[in-house]
Coordinates of all heavy atoms in Angstrom, one line a residue:
M1 N 0.8 -1.2 0.0 CA 0.0 0.0 0.0 C 0.9 1.3 0.0 O 1.9 1.2 0.5 CB -0.9 0.0 1.2 CG -2.0 -1.0 1.3 SD -3.1 -0.6 2.6 CE -4.4 -1.7 2.2
D2 N 0.3 2.2 -0.6 CA 1.1 3.5 -0.7 C 0.3 4.7 -0.1 O -0.7 5.1 -0.7 CB 1.4 3.8 -2.2 CG 2.5 4.8 -2.4 OD1 3.3 5.0 -1.4 OD2 2.6 5.4 -3.4
Y3 N 0.7 5.1 1.1 CA 0.0 6.1 1.8 C 0.6 7.5 1.6 O 1.9 7.6 1.3 CB 0.0 5.9 3.3 CG -0.9 4.7 3.7 CD1 -0.3 3.4 4.1 CD2 -2.2 4.7 3.6 CE1 -1.0 2.3 4.4 CE2 -3.0 3.5 3.9 CZ -2.3 2.3 4.3 OH -3.1 1.3 4.6
A4 N -0.1 8.6 1.8 CA 0.5 9.9 1.6 C 1.5 10.2 2.7 O 2.4 11.0 2.4 CB -0.7 11.0 1.7
V5 N 1.5 9.6 3.8 CA 2.4 9.9 4.9 C 3.8 9.4 4.4 O 4.8 10.1 4.6 CB 2.0 9.1 6.2 CG1 3.1 9.3 7.3 CG2 0.7 9.7 6.6
F6 N 3.9 8.2 3.7 CA 5.1 7.7 3.3 C 5.6 8.6 2.2 O 6.8 8.7 2.0 CB 5.0 6.3 2.8 CG 4.5 5.4 3.9 CD1 3.4 4.6 3.8 CD2 5.1 5.4 5.2 CE1 3.0 3.7 4.8 CE2 4.7 4.6 6.1 CZ 3.7 3.6 6.0
R7 N 4.8 9.2 1.4 CA 5.3 10.1 0.3 C 5.9 11.4 0.8 O 6.7 12.0 0.3 CB 4.2 10.4 -0.6 CG 3.9 9.2 -1.5 CD 2.8 9.5 -2.5 NE 2.4 8.5 -3.3 CZ 3.0 8.3 -4.5 NH1 3.8 9.1 -5.1 NH2 2.6 7.2 -5.3
T8 N 5.3 11.9 2.0 CA 5.8 13.2 2.4 C 7.1 13.1 3.2 O 7.8 14.1 3.4 CB 4.7 13.9 3.3 OG1 4.4 13.0 4.4 CG2 3.5 14.2 2.4
R9 N 7.3 12.0 3.8 CA 8.5 11.7 4.7 C 9.7 11.4 3.7 O 9.5 10.6 2.8 CB 8.3 10.7 5.7 CG 7.3 11.0 6.8 CD 7.2 9.9 7.7 NE 6.3 10.4 8.8 CZ 5.8 9.5 9.7 NH1 6.3 8.3 9.8 NH2 5.0 10.0 10.6
T10 N 10.9 11.9 4.1 CA 12.0 11.6 3.3 C 12.7 10.3 3.9 O 12.6 10.0 5.1 CB 13.0 12.7 3.3 OG1 13.4 13.0 4.7 CG2 12.3 13.9 2.6
T11 N 13.4 9.6 3.0 CA 14.0 8.3 3.5 C 15.3 8.6 4.2 O 15.9 7.9 4.9 CB 14.1 7.4 2.4 OG1 14.9 8.0 1.3 CG2 12.8 6.9 1.8
T12 N 15.9 9.8 3.9 CA 17.2 10.1 4.5 C 17.0 10.6 5.9 O 16.0 11.1 6.2 CB 18.0 11.2 3.6 OG1 17.1 12.4 3.6 CG2 18.2 10.8 2.2
T13 N 18.0 10.4 6.7 CA 17.9 10.9 8.0 C 18.1 12.4 8.1 O 19.0 13.0 7.5 CB 19.1 10.2 8.9 OG1 20.3 10.6 8.4 CG2 18.8 8.8 8.9
T14 N 17.1 12.9 8.8 CA 17.2 14.4 9.0 C 17.6 14.7 10.5 O 17.4 13.9 11.3 CB 15.9 15.1 8.6 OG1 14.9 14.5 9.5 CG2 15.5 14.9 7.2
R15 N 18.1 15.8 10.7 CA 18.4 16.2 12.0 C 17.2 16.6 12.8 O 16.1 16.9 12.3 CB 19.4 17.4 12.0 CG 18.8 18.6 11.5 CD 19.9 19.8 11.4 NE 19.2 20.9 10.8 CZ 19.1 22.0 11.3 NH1 19.7 22.3 12.4 NH2 18.5 23.2 10.7
S16 N 17.3 16.3 14.1 CA 16.1 16.5 14.9 C 15.8 18.0 15.0 O 16.6 18.8 14.8 CB 16.3 16.0 16.3 OG 17.4 16.6 16.9
G17 N 14.5 18.3 15.3 CA 14.1 19.7 15.5 C 15.0 20.5 16.3 O 15.1 20.2 17.5
G18 N 15.5 21.5 15.8 CA 16.3 22.4 16.5 C 15.6 23.6 17.2 O 14.3 23.5 17.1
F19 N 16.2 24.5 17.8 CA 15.5 25.6 18.4 C 14.7 26.4 17.4 O 13.7 26.9 17.7 CB 16.5 26.5 19.2 CG 15.9 27.7 19.8 CD1 15.1 27.5 20.9 CD2 16.1 28.9 19.3 CE1 14.5 28.7 21.5 CE2 15.6 30.1 19.9 CZ 14.7 29.9 21.0
L20 N 15.3 26.6 16.3 CA 14.7 27.4 15.3 C 13.4 26.9 14.7 O 12.4 27.5 14.5 CB 15.7 27.9 14.1 CG 15.3 28.8 13.1 CD1 14.9 30.1 13.7 CD2 16.3 28.9 11.9
S21 N 13.5 25.5 14.4 CA 12.3 24.9 13.8 C 11.1 24.9 14.9 O 9.9 25.1 14.5 CB 12.6 23.5 13.4 OG 12.9 22.7 14.5
I22 N 11.5 24.7 16.2 CA 10.5 24.7 17.2 C 9.9 26.1 17.3 O 8.7 26.3 17.4 CB 11.1 24.3 18.6 CG1 11.4 22.8 18.4 CG2 10.1 24.5 19.7 CD1 12.2 22.3 19.7
L23 N 10.7 27.1 17.2 CA 10.3 28.5 17.3 C 9.4 28.9 16.2 O 8.3 29.5 16.4 CB 11.5 29.5 17.3 CG 11.2 30.9 17.5 CD1 10.5 31.2 18.9 CD2 12.4 31.8 17.4
V24 N 9.7 28.4 15.0 CA 8.9 28.6 13.8 C 7.5 28.0 14.0 O 6.5 28.5 13.6 CB 9.7 28.2 12.5 CG1 8.6 28.3 11.3 CG2 10.8 29.1 12.2
R25 N 7.5 26.7 14.5 CA 6.2 26.0 14.6 C 5.3 26.7 15.7 O 4.1 26.9 15.5 CB 6.5 24.6 15.1 CG 6.9 23.7 14.0 CD 7.2 22.3 14.4 NE 7.7 21.4 13.3 CZ 8.1 20.2 13.4 NH1 8.0 19.7 14.6 NH2 8.6 19.7 12.4
L26 N 6.0 27.2 16.8 CA 5.2 27.9 17.9 C 4.7 29.2 17.3 O 3.5 29.5 17.6 CB 6.1 28.2 19.1 CG 6.4 26.9 19.9 CD1 7.4 27.3 21.1 CD2 5.1 26.4 20.5
L27 N 5.5 29.8 16.5 CA 5.0 31.2 15.9 C 3.9 30.8 14.9 O 2.9 31.6 14.9 CB 6.2 31.8 15.2 CG 5.9 33.2 14.6 CD1 5.6 34.2 15.7 CD2 7.1 33.7 13.8
A28 N 3.9 29.8 14.2 CA 2.9 29.5 13.2 C 1.5 29.2 14.0 O 0.5 29.6 13.6 CB 3.3 28.4 12.3
V29 N 1.7 28.4 15.1 CA 0.6 28.1 15.9 C 0.0 29.4 16.6 O -1.3 29.6 16.6 CB 0.9 27.0 17.0 CG1 -0.3 26.8 18.0 CG2 1.1 25.7 16.3
A30 N 0.8 30.3 17.0 CA 0.4 31.4 17.7 C -0.3 32.4 16.7 O -1.4 32.9 16.9 CB 1.5 32.2 18.3
V31 N 0.2 32.4 15.4 CA -0.4 33.4 14.4 C -1.8 32.8 14.0 O -2.8 33.5 13.8 CB 0.5 33.5 13.1 CG1 -0.2 34.0 12.0 CG2 1.7 34.3 13.6
A32 N -1.9 31.4 13.9 CA -3.1 30.7 13.5 C -4.2 31.0 14.6 O -5.3 31.3 14.3 CB -2.9 29.3 13.2
G33 N -3.7 30.9 15.9 CA -4.6 31.2 17.0 C -5.2 32.6 17.0 O -6.3 32.8 17.3
I34 N -4.3 33.6 16.8 CA -4.7 35.0 16.8 C -5.6 35.2 15.7 O -6.6 36.0 15.8 CB -3.4 35.9 16.6 CG1 -2.6 35.8 18.1 CG2 -3.7 37.3 16.4 CD1 -1.3 36.5 17.9
A35 N -5.3 34.6 14.5 CA -6.3 34.8 13.3 C -7.6 34.2 13.6 O -8.7 34.8 13.3 CB -5.6 34.1 12.1
L36 N -7.7 33.1 14.2 CA -8.9 32.4 14.5 C -9.7 33.3 15.6 O -10.9 33.4 15.5 CB -8.7 31.0 15.1 CG -9.9 30.1 15.3 CD1 -10.7 29.9 14.0 CD2 -9.5 28.9 15.9
L37 N -8.9 33.7 16.5 CA -9.6 34.6 17.5 C -10.2 35.8 17.1 O -11.3 36.3 17.3 CB -8.7 34.8 18.7 CG -9.1 35.7 19.9 CD1 -10.1 34.9 20.6 CD2 -8.0 36.1 20.8
A38 N -9.4 36.5 16.1 CA -9.9 37.7 15.3 C -11.1 37.5 14.6 O -12.0 38.3 14.6 CB -8.7 38.3 14.5
M39 N -11.1 36.3 13.8 CA -12.4 36.1 13.1 C -13.5 35.8 13.9 O -14.7 36.2 13.6 CB -12.1 34.8 12.2 CG -11.2 35.1 11.0 SD -11.1 33.7 9.8 CE -10.2 32.4 10.8
M40 N -13.3 35.1 15.1 CA -14.4 34.8 15.9 C -14.9 36.2 16.6 O -16.2 36.3 16.6 CB -14.0 33.9 17.1 CG -15.1 33.5 18.0 SD -14.6 32.5 19.4 CE -13.7 33.8 20.3
L41 N -14.1 37.0 17.0 CA -14.5 38.3 17.6 C -15.2 39.2 16.6 O -16.2 39.9 16.9 CB -13.3 39.0 18.2 CG -12.7 38.3 19.5 CD1 -11.5 39.0 20.0 CD2 -13.8 38.2 20.6
I42 N -14.7 39.3 15.4 CA -15.3 40.0 14.4 C -16.7 39.6 14.0 O -17.7 40.3 13.9 CB -14.5 40.1 13.1 CG1 -13.2 41.0 13.4 CG2 -15.2 40.6 11.8 CD1 -12.2 41.0 12.2
G43 N -16.8 38.2 14.0 CA -18.1 37.6 13.7 C -19.1 37.9 14.9 O -20.3 38.1 14.6
L44 N -18.7 37.8 16.0 CA -19.5 38.0 17.2 C -19.9 39.4 17.5 O -21.1 39.7 17.7 CB -18.8 37.4 18.5 CG -19.6 37.4 19.7 CD1 -20.8 36.4 19.5 CD2 -18.7 36.9 20.9
F45 N -18.9 40.3 17.4 CA -19.2 41.7 17.7 C -19.6 42.6 16.5 O -20.0 43.7 16.7 CB -18.1 42.3 18.5 CG -17.9 41.7 19.8 CD1 -16.8 40.9 20.1 CD2 -18.9 41.7 20.8 CE1 -16.6 40.3 21.4 CE2 -18.7 41.2 22.0 CZ -17.6 40.4 22.4
V46 N -19.3 42.1 15.3 CA -19.6 43.0 14.1 C -20.7 42.3 13.3 O -21.7 43.0 13.0 CB -18.4 43.3 13.3 CG1 -18.7 44.0 12.1 CG2 -17.3 44.0 14.1
L47 N -20.5 41.1 12.8 CA -21.5 40.5 11.9 C -22.8 40.2 12.6 O -23.9 40.4 12.0 CB -20.9 39.3 11.2 CG -19.7 39.6 10.3 CD1 -19.1 38.2 9.7 CD2 -20.0 40.5 9.1
L48 N -22.8 39.5 13.7 CA -24.0 39.1 14.4 C -24.9 40.3 14.7 O -26.1 40.3 14.4 CB -23.6 38.4 15.6 CG -24.9 37.9 16.5 CD1 -25.6 36.8 15.6 CD2 -24.4 37.2 17.8
P49 N -24.4 41.5 15.3 CA -25.3 42.6 15.4 C -25.8 43.1 14.1 O -27.0 43.6 14.0 CB -24.5 43.7 16.2 CG -23.4 42.9 16.9 CD -23.1 41.7 16.0
L50 N -25.0 43.2 13.0 CA -25.5 43.6 11.7 C -26.5 42.7 11.2 O -27.6 43.2 10.7 CB -24.4 43.7 10.8 CG -23.4 44.9 10.9 CD1 -22.2 44.8 9.9 CD2 -24.1 46.2 10.7
L51 N -26.4 41.5 11.5 CA -27.4 40.5 10.9 C -28.7 40.7 11.7 O -29.8 40.7 11.2 CB -27.0 39.1 11.0 CG -26.0 38.7 10.0 CD1 -25.4 37.3 10.4 CD2 -26.5 38.8 8.6
L52 N -28.6 40.9 13.0 CA -29.9 41.1 13.8 C -30.6 42.4 13.5 O -31.7 42.4 13.4 CB -29.5 41.1 15.3 CG -29.0 39.7 15.9 CD1 -28.6 39.8 17.3 CD2 -30.2 38.6 15.8
A53 N -29.8 43.5 13.3 CA -30.5 44.7 13.0 C -31.0 44.7 11.6 O -32.1 45.2 11.4 CB -29.4 45.8 13.0
G54 N -30.3 44.0 10.7 CA -30.9 43.9 9.3 C -32.2 43.1 9.3 O -33.1 43.4 8.6
G55 N -32.2 42.0 10.1 CA -33.4 41.1 10.1 C -34.5 41.9 10.7 O -35.6 41.8 10.3
T56 N -34.3 42.6 11.8 CA -35.4 43.5 12.4 C -35.9 44.5 11.5 O -37.1 44.7 11.4 CB -34.8 44.1 13.7 OG1 -34.3 43.0 14.5 CG2 -35.9 44.8 14.5
A57 N -34.9 45.2 10.8 CA -35.4 46.2 9.9 C -36.2 45.6 8.7 O -37.2 46.3 8.3 CB -34.1 46.9 9.3
L58 N -35.7 44.5 8.3 CA -36.6 43.8 7.2 C -38.0 43.4 7.6 O -38.9 43.6 6.8 CB -35.7 42.6 6.7 CG -36.4 41.8 5.5 CD1 -36.4 42.8 4.2 CD2 -35.6 40.6 5.2
Y59 N -38.0 43.0 8.8 CA -39.3 42.6 9.4 C -40.3 43.7 9.4 O -41.3 43.7 8.9 CB -39.1 42.0 10.8 CG -40.4 41.8 11.6 CD1 -41.3 40.7 11.3 CD2 -40.8 42.6 12.6 CE1 -42.5 40.6 11.8 CE2 -42.0 42.5 13.2 CZ -42.8 41.5 12.9 OH -44.0 41.3 13.6
F60 N -39.8 44.9 10.0 CA -40.7 46.1 10.1 C -41.0 46.7 8.7 O -42.2 47.1 8.6 CB -40.1 47.2 10.9 CG -40.1 46.8 12.5 CD1 -39.0 46.6 13.1 CD2 -41.3 46.6 13.0 CE1 -39.0 46.3 14.5 CE2 -41.4 46.3 14.4 CZ -40.3 46.1 15.1
Y61 N -40.1 46.6 7.7 CA -40.3 47.1 6.4 C -41.3 46.3 5.8 O -42.3 46.8 5.1 CB -39.1 47.1 5.6 CG -39.1 47.4 4.2 CD1 -39.5 48.6 3.8 CD2 -39.0 46.4 3.2 CE1 -39.5 49.0 2.4 CE2 -39.2 46.7 1.9 CZ -39.5 48.0 1.4 OH -39.6 48.2 0.1
L62 N -41.2 44.9 5.8 CA -42.2 44.1 5.2 C -43.6 44.2 5.8 O -44.6 44.1 5.2 CB -41.7 42.6 5.2 CG -40.5 42.4 4.3 CD1 -40.1 40.9 4.4 CD2 -40.8 42.6 2.8
R63 N -43.6 44.3 7.1 CA -44.9 44.4 7.8 C -45.6 45.7 7.4 O -46.8 45.8 7.2 CB -44.7 44.5 9.4 CG -45.9 44.3 10.1 CD -45.7 44.2 11.5 NE -45.3 45.5 12.1 CZ -45.1 45.7 13.4 NH1 -45.3 44.8 14.3 NH2 -44.9 46.9 13.8
R64 N -44.7 46.8 7.2 CA -45.4 48.1 6.8 C -45.9 48.0 5.4 O -46.9 48.4 4.9 CB -44.3 49.2 6.8 CG -45.0 50.5 6.6 CD -43.9 51.7 6.6 NE -42.9 51.3 5.5 CZ -42.0 52.3 5.1 NH1 -41.9 53.4 5.7 NH2 -41.2 51.9 4.2
R65 N -45.1 47.3 4.5 CA -45.6 47.1 3.1 C -46.8 46.3 3.0 O -47.7 46.5 2.2 CB -44.4 46.4 2.2 CG -43.2 47.3 2.0 CD -43.3 48.2 1.0 NE -43.8 47.7 -0.2 CZ -43.1 47.5 -1.3 NH1 -41.9 47.9 -1.3 NH2 -43.7 47.0 -2.5
V66 N -46.9 45.3 3.8 CA -48.1 44.4 3.8 C -49.4 45.2 4.3 O -50.4 45.1 3.7 CB -47.9 43.2 4.7 CG1 -49.3 42.4 4.9 CG2 -46.9 42.2 3.9
R67 N -49.2 46.0 5.3 CA -50.3 46.9 5.8 C -50.7 47.9 4.8 O -51.9 48.1 4.7 CB -49.8 47.5 7.1 CG -49.9 46.7 8.2 CD -49.6 47.5 9.5 NE -49.6 46.6 10.7 CZ -49.3 47.0 11.9 NH1 -49.0 48.3 12.1 NH2 -49.3 46.2 12.8
R68 N -49.8 48.5 4.0 CA -50.2 49.4 3.0 C -50.8 48.7 1.8 O -51.7 49.3 1.1 CB -48.9 50.2 2.4 CG -48.5 51.2 3.4 CD -47.4 52.0 2.8 NE -46.9 53.0 3.8 CZ -45.9 53.9 3.4 NH1 -45.3 53.8 2.3 NH2 -45.6 54.7 4.4
A69 N -50.5 47.5 1.5 CA -51.1 46.8 0.4 C -52.5 46.4 0.6 O -53.3 46.2 -0.4 CB -50.3 45.5 0.1
R70 N -53.0 46.2 1.9 CA -54.2 45.8 2.2 C -55.2 46.9 2.0 O -55.0 48.1 2.3 CB -54.4 45.4 3.7 CG -53.7 44.1 4.1 CD -54.0 43.9 5.5 NE -53.2 42.8 6.0 CZ -52.8 42.6 7.2 NH1 -53.5 43.3 8.2 NH2 -52.0 41.7 7.6
P71 N -56.4 46.7 1.4 CA -57.4 47.8 1.3 C -58.0 48.1 2.6 O -58.3 47.1 3.4 CB -58.4 47.1 0.3 CG -58.3 45.7 0.5 CD -56.8 45.4 0.8
H72 N -58.1 49.4 2.9 CA -58.7 49.9 4.2 C -60.2 50.0 4.1 O -60.7 50.5 3.0 CB -58.0 51.1 4.5 CG -56.6 51.0 4.9 ND1 -56.1 50.3 6.0 CD2 -55.4 51.4 4.2 CE1 -54.8 50.3 6.1 NE2 -54.4 50.9 4.9
P73 N -61.0 49.6 5.0 CA -62.4 49.8 5.1 C -62.7 51.3 5.0 O -62.0 52.1 5.6 CB -62.9 49.1 6.3 CG -61.7 49.0 7.2 CD -60.5 49.0 6.3
Q74 N -63.8 51.6 4.4 CA -64.3 53.0 4.4 C -65.2 53.3 5.6 O -66.0 52.6 6.0 CB -65.0 53.2 3.0 CG -64.2 53.0 1.8 CD -63.0 53.9 1.7 OE1 -63.1 55.0 2.0 NE2 -62.0 53.4 1.1
D75 N -65.2 54.5 6.1 CA -66.1 55.1 7.1 C -66.2 54.2 8.3 O -67.2 54.0 8.9 CB -67.6 55.1 6.5 CG -67.6 56.1 5.3 OD1 -66.8 57.1 5.3 OD2 -68.4 55.9 4.5
G76 N -65.1 53.7 8.7 CA -65.0 53.0 10.0 C -65.7 51.6 10.0 O -66.0 51.0 11.0
V77 N -66.1 51.1 8.9 CA -66.7 49.8 8.7 C -65.7 48.7 8.8 O -64.7 48.8 8.0 CB -67.5 49.7 7.5 CG1 -68.2 48.3 7.3 CG2 -68.6 50.8 7.4
I78 N -65.9 47.8 9.7 CA -64.9 46.6 9.8 C -65.3 45.6 8.8 O -66.5 45.0 9.0 CB -64.8 46.2 11.3 CG1 -64.3 47.3 12.1 CG2 -64.0 45.0 11.3 CD1 -64.4 46.9 13.6
D79 N -64.5 45.2 8.0 CA -64.8 44.1 7.0 C -64.2 42.8 7.7 O -63.0 42.7 7.8 CB -64.3 44.4 5.6 CG -64.6 43.3 4.7 OD1 -65.6 42.7 4.9 OD2 -63.9 43.2 3.7
A80 N -65.1 41.9 7.9 CA -64.4 40.6 8.4 C -65.3 39.4 7.9 O -66.4 39.6 7.5 CB -64.6 40.7 10.0
E81 N -64.6 38.3 8.0 CA -65.3 37.0 7.6 C -65.6 36.2 8.9 O -64.8 36.2 9.9 CB -64.4 36.2 6.7 CG -64.2 36.9 5.4 CD -63.3 36.1 4.5 OE1 -63.1 34.9 4.8 OE2 -62.9 36.7 3.5
Y82 N -66.8 35.6 8.9 CA -67.2 34.9 10.1 C -67.5 33.5 9.6 O -68.0 33.2 8.6 CB -68.5 35.5 10.7 CG -68.3 36.9 11.3 CD1 -68.6 38.0 10.5 CD2 -67.7 37.1 12.6 CE1 -68.4 39.3 11.0 CE2 -67.5 38.3 13.0 CZ -67.9 39.4 12.3 OH -67.7 40.7 12.7
T83 N -67.1 32.6 10.6 CA -67.5 31.1 10.4 C -68.4 30.7 11.4 O -68.2 30.9 12.6 CB -66.2 30.3 10.5 OG1 -65.2 30.8 9.5 CG2 -66.5 28.8 10.2
I84 N -69.6 30.2 11.0 CA -70.6 29.7 12.0 C -70.5 28.2 12.2 O -70.5 27.5 11.2 CB -72.1 30.1 11.5 CG1 -72.1 31.7 11.3 CG2 -73.1 29.5 12.4 CD1 -73.4 32.2 10.7
I85 N -70.3 27.9 13.4 CA -70.2 26.4 13.8 C -71.5 26.1 14.5 O -71.8 26.7 15.5 CB -68.9 26.2 14.6 CG1 -67.8 26.7 13.8 CG2 -68.9 24.7 15.0 CD1 -66.4 26.6 14.5
E86 N -72.1 25.1 14.1 CA -73.4 24.8 14.8 C -73.1 23.6 15.7 O -72.3 22.7 15.4 CB -74.4 24.2 13.7 CG -75.0 25.2 12.7 CD -76.0 24.7 11.8 OE1 -76.6 23.6 12.1 OE2 -76.2 25.4 10.8
H87 N -73.5 23.8 16.9 CA -73.4 22.7 17.9 C -74.8 21.9 18.1 O -75.8 22.7 18.2 CB -73.1 23.3 19.3 CG -71.7 23.9 19.2 ND1 -70.5 23.2 19.3 CD2 -71.2 25.2 19.1 CE1 -69.4 23.9 19.2 NE2 -69.9 25.2 19.1
R88 N -74.8 20.8 18.2 CA -76.1 20.0 18.3 C -76.0 19.1 19.5 O -75.1 18.7 20.0 CB -76.3 19.1 17.0 CG -76.5 19.9 15.9 CD -76.9 19.1 14.7 NE -77.0 19.9 13.5 CZ -77.6 19.5 12.4 NH1 -78.2 18.4 12.4 NH2 -77.7 20.4 11.4

């Protein structure tokens, strides 16, 4: 069997991780952590309030449009439909 792990590793002996390679790995992990934290904070404190405000504004806008589209009764007459249910 031929796995990707075997292809990425070299067959020659390499020196063990020195101080510089450990430092580079720690720096890469720290940068990735800071980037992930920044994305989370931006999403939580910027995008979420914008989405909530936009959803609320859209709700009120559509509710107003629906109310304006309905025909209003004339002279204070209430137009309603009634359903009569007979009980025996």
